[in-house]
Amino acid sequence: KKERIWDLICQINADFRRIRVLKLSSGIRVGEVVEQHRRIAGIIFDRDPGRVEAILDEHLPQHDPDFERLREEYPEYFRQRG
């Protein structure tokens, strides 16, 4: 059972990695992501835990607005639905 859970986690991580690479290579919102990373680094440097949750919610949205666009542009990298 643990192996099945670990396999699922690895698959999800592979999907996130694939999306990150495709977004960077496509130039989608790169400047915005770099700015978010600067702000995250600043929060860490300032040791300001009160701001961590808000920036991570912004940086790691539950629904990536670029996902469908990437799926359409690079269908060979995604499993077909249905």
Side-chain angles (χ1 to χ4, degrees):
K1 188 168 186 156
K2 289 180 184 180
E3 287 179 11
R4 289 174 50 198
I5 293 171
W6 180 248
D7 289 343
L8 179 62
I9 290 170
C10 289
Q11 178 61 45
I12 292 168
N13 191 39
D15 291 341
F16 281 123
R17 211 176 13 237
R18 181 179 307 114
I19 290 169
R20 279 194 303 266
V21 169
L22 290 172
K23 284 174 80 164
L24 289 173
S25 66
S26 298
I28 299 174
R29 299 181 318 128
V30 173
E32 181 181 334
V33 171
V34 169
E35 179 57 32
Q36 289 173 351
H37 284 187
R38 284 190 181 123
R39 291 183 8 229
I40 290 168
I43 289 169
I44 293 169
F45 183 76
D46 294 343
R47 297 178 185 215
D48 187 355
R51 293 176 25 214
V52 169
E53 188 172 347
I55 187 66
L56 289 181
D57 283 345
E58 178 184 336
H59 185 65
L60 303 170
Q62 294 297 315
H63 172 71
D64 188 329
D66 302 316
F67 180 75
E68 286 303 318
R69 177 178 168 188
L70 291 168
R71 183 189 290 276
E72 290 172 12
E73 287 185 35
Y74 304 98
E76 66 273 16
Y77 292 112
F78 298 94
R79 280 184 254 135
Q80 297 301 316
R81 291 184 247 174

